Amino acid sequence: MRAKTKWLQNFAAFAIFAAVIVYVLLCTTDNPRYHLILDEKTMLLEALWTTLYISMISLVLCMVSGFLFYLMLKSRVQFIRAAAVIFREIIMGTPMLVMVFLMVYVFGNMLGISNKLVLGIAAMTFYTMPYVANSYESAAAVIDQDQYVVMNLYHFTGVQRYLYIIFPQMVKPMLPALINHLSGIIKGTALLKIVSVPEISYVLTVISSKNWASVEGYLVMWMMYLMITIPLSVLAQYIGRRLENGN
Amino acid sequence: MEIKLEHVSKYYDRKILDELSLELKDIHALGIIGESGCGKSTLLRLLAGMEKPEKGKIWINGTLLHGKSIKEYQKEIGYVFQKHNLFPHLSVKENIVLILNKIKKMSRADAEKRAEDMLKKVRMEAEMDKKPDAVSGGQAQRASIARALATDPQLVFLDEPTAALDPILTAEVLRVIQELKDSGKEFIFVTHELKFLKNFADYILFMDKGKIVEKGSVDCLNDPQTELLKKFVEGEKL
């Protein structure tokens, strides 16, 4: 009975939001013309694919660079630690839009790189890297001092420490955070439209401008992002719960 | 075993060990006792090379604990901590196999065989595939004793291995340690268990406020020369 009540309450909450979304989709304009947008299926699917692979590549790069950045934050050398902290503060205080601009028009020009997709991925990676490093830091905090004492006693090398003791214990607390970072990167790719990377946001702006259907364009964009991010969020929560239960 | 300390001092926020000097020979089981905070666990960690003194020198069996010699020395010792300090993500058996296989470079098959033998020795064969948090505190501590002995160390350090256990689990762990007495290994240990101390140690150091107040064969517990040791023995008996 309790489970049934819980299910009913969940369904009621879902139904309310679904109704609000349907209302917004149908009533925001007098005569919504979604077919003008949805007819461009090929372009939309390509944009979806572009968004996903930019996000996945950025996440992988973030995991690697975020780990190196985490090691810099933990360095014994004061200069490296200070440099990492200053870099983190600068990046965390910079809006993503400005980061994309800086990467494409400043650092891209400086380094002679003109491929906007590459620069876009670099912008996403740099922007997310300090947050991923913070996640590594929180995850590493689960390893108590006693374990380091044992590793010191048996003279584990740096690689052995991470490979056999630290990384395996970091996976649990890191997984939900990483999925949330992926979700953040996916939403962040919308800003790459300012440098004409053909991801969801850019392609929908092009299609909707061509058809004079900007409201419908934004609403479809909203739905497309939700279609990706909600399953990811549910997955993060599911994994979090499974890991908490020790499975 | 031979132990030599020369003006050893150790500080944290205050002086923990105060100019300890000592020379002991032909000791097999050295018990270090004293009230909480007297510096006995710190002395144990210094003797194991896990910490360095701010001042003074330490020799164990002729080896000066300094620089690179510490790494070589630590290959020959085992250490049992107050808490079991097992890696929580690995099974009890894997905790031992990891050390033997990955750190000591023993083959996987030999490491598994050795781990199983050691766990049998401490009566943990039925629990070897469980994670440390799935066994009792006493069982986890017995597993950590097995880990300390798995590398076949000549010298074993025990830092109040029953401090975190209730009386029943304490008895269970002490029984296992007692069985090691005739193993031919040497022991340096810190304990509050007077009965165990009398049965296990052949020499004791009694410490107070960072100094060695009384030392001698274990019989000195029956006839303390200082008022402090007398009070300590009476207090522990209560």
Side-chain angles (χ1 to χ4, degrees):
Chain A
M1 186 64 190
R2 193 180 288 170
K4 197 175 176 185
T5 312
K6 192 177 162 190
W7 187 87
L8 273 173
Q9 291 186 36
N10 287 343
F11 180 76
F14 172 77
I16 288 169
F17 282 99
V20 170
I21 289 171
V22 169
Y23 176 81
V24 170
L25 290 176
L26 296 179
C27 303
T28 304
T29 58
D30 290 340
N31 183 23
R33 297 167 300 153
Y34 289 112
H35 62 279
L36 295 175
I37 310 283
L38 298 175
D39 279 350
E40 305 280 1
K41 270 191 213 88
T42 314
M43 277 178 84
L44 288 176
L45 285 175
E46 277 175 9
L48 180 70
W49 169 239
T50 305
T51 296
L52 286 176
Y53 87 71
I54 288 175
S55 304
M56 290 308 296
I57 292 173
S58 300
L59 182 74
V60 171
L61 292 175
C62 279
M63 284 172 65
V64 177
S65 58
F67 179 67
L68 296 175
F69 191 63
Y70 158 73
L71 291 181
M72 285 174 72
L73 287 166
K74 293 281 157 200
S75 171
R76 287 180 190 165
V77 181
Q78 179 60 34
F79 170 75
I80 294 176
R81 257 198 337 268
V85 168
I86 294 167
F87 180 76
R88 179 174 66 182
E89 294 309 314
I90 291 172
I91 299 284
M92 284 183 150
T94 304
M96 195 188 259
L97 187 67
V98 178
M99 176 61 79
V100 173
F101 173 83
L102 285 173
M103 197 54 77
V104 174
Y105 295 111
V106 180
F107 298 115
N109 284 343
M110 272 167 62
L111 299 170
I113 301 170
S114 56
N115 187 325
K116 288 182 178 164
L117 198 63
V118 170
L119 292 168
I121 290 172
M124 305 304 300
T125 304
F126 269 84
Y127 184 80
T128 315
M129 189 172 75
Y131 297 96
V132 174
N134 282 355
S135 299
Y136 276 114
E137 203 166 10
S138 315
V142 303
I143 295 144
D144 59 41
Q145 211 49 44
D146 293 339
Q147 294 186 53
Y148 289 99
V149 170
V150 176
M151 288 187 266
N152 289 341
L153 179 69
Y154 287 105
H155 296 277
F156 279 57
T157 63
V159 173
Q160 286 170 336
R161 280 165 196 256
Y162 276 97
L163 202 57
Y164 303 126
I165 308 299
I166 300 174
F167 272 145
Q169 292 183 75
M170 280 170 104
V171 172
K172 260 190 185 188
M174 274 293 280
L175 259 182
L178 276 181
I179 294 172
N180 287 334
H181 287 310
L182 177 60
S183 187
I185 291 171
I186 288 168
K187 286 180 283 178
T189 55
L191 293 171
L192 296 181
K193 79 171 181 182
I194 66 160
V195 291
S196 312
V197 173
E199 43 66 58
I200 292 174
S201 172
Y202 175 78
V203 167
L204 274 163
T205 306
V206 169
I207 297 172
S208 57
S209 303
K210 194 173 74 181
N211 294 292
W212 298 89
S214 60
V215 174
E216 291 90 335
Y218 274 108
L219 292 174
V220 171
M221 192 191 301
W222 181 34
M223 286 302 106
M224 286 182 78
Y225 282 118
L226 286 185
M227 276 164 52
I228 307 170
T229 56
I230 288 179
L232 278 176
S233 174
V234 171
L235 180 67
Q237 288 169 40
Y238 173 75
I239 290 174
R241 272 199 307 274
R242 287 288 302 259
L243 293 176
E244 246 172 49
N245 295 335
N247 296 317
Chain B
M1 139 178 73
E2 289 178 23
I3 299 172
K4 188 177 170 192
L5 307 182
E6 206 174 81
H7 305 295
V8 171
S9 293
K10 180 74 186 171
Y11 305 83
Y12 293 132
D13 49 344
R14 61 186 173 89
K15 200 175 224 181
I16 304 294
L17 297 179
D18 187 6
E19 291 274 338
L20 300 186
S21 290
L22 178 74
E23 200 163 350
L24 300 175
K25 282 182 181 170
D26 297 327
I27 307 290
H28 295 288
L30 172 66
I32 307 173
I33 54 172
E35 298 288 349
S36 297
C38 69
K40 54 190 186 300
S41 287
T42 305
L43 176 59
L44 196 75
R45 287 195 294 275
L46 291 184
L47 293 173
M50 291 166 66
E51 287 185 35
K52 291 173 189 161
E54 263 76 41
K55 198 179 145 205
K57 289 176 181 170
I58 300 171
W59 288 264
I60 305 281
N61 294 332
T63 303
L64 174 64
L65 302 190
H66 178 72
K68 285 181 183 170
S69 73
I70 292 178
K71 189 173 178 180
E72 288 307 308
Y73 164 70
Q74 286 184 329
K75 283 181 183 170
E76 305 299 324
I77 68 167
Y79 200 103
V80 180
F81 301 88
Q82 284 187 15
K83 288 186 278 173
H84 57 72
N85 287 18
L86 295 170
F87 298 119
H89 63 298
L90 299 174
S91 71
V92 160
K93 181 175 151 187
E94 278 302 318
N95 259 279
I96 301 172
V97 171
L98 174 77
I99 301 292
L100 297 176
N101 177 227
K102 303 295 182 186
I103 309 299
K104 303 289 178 186
K105 306 295 177 200
M106 195 183 268
S107 74
R108 174 90 198 171
D110 288 349
E112 284 190 10
K113 173 85 174 58
R114 175 94 181 138
E116 284 165 16
D117 288 347
M118 294 315 298
L119 287 166
K120 271 179 199 157
K121 209 170 247 181
V122 296
R123 294 190 290 277
M124 281 289 290
E125 61 269 40
E127 324 290 336
M128 62 173 76
D129 293 321
K130 290 182 182 170
K131 297 262 177 78
D133 63 0
V135 298
S136 74
Q139 288 171 329
Q141 193 59 293
R142 272 153 47 197
S144 84
I145 293 169
R147 180 174 68 180
L149 296 173
T151 54
D152 197 21
Q154 183 50 38
L155 177 56
V156 181
F157 290 83
L158 306 159
D159 184 4
E160 291 193 73
T162 58
L165 305 177
D166 64 37
I168 293 172
L169 298 179
T170 295
E172 174 188 303
V173 170
L174 291 182
R175 205 164 43 241
V176 166
I177 297 173
Q178 195 72 48
E179 288 167 8
L180 301 172
K181 192 177 178 183
D182 301 322
S183 62
K185 299 192 184 304
E186 292 165 331
F187 296 87
I188 303 179
F189 63 98
V190 168
T191 186
H192 270 118
E193 303 290 331
L194 266 193
K195 193 176 164 202
F196 168 71
L197 181 73
K198 284 179 179 173
N199 288 333
F200 200 72
D202 51 19
Y203 201 89
I204 64 141
L205 298 179
F206 174 64
M207 293 183 66
D208 185 61
K209 293 176 186 156
K211 287 183 180 293
I212 296 168
V213 177
E214 193 166 338
K215 59 180 195 270
S217 82
V218 74
D219 297 332
C220 73
L221 292 171
N222 299 324
D223 182 23
Q225 300 300 302
T226 60
E227 207 50 40
L228 279 170
L229 181 56
K230 198 173 172 185
K231 270 188 189 166
F232 179 82
V233 171
E234 281 167 2
E236 292 294 316
K237 275 180 185 167
L238 287 176

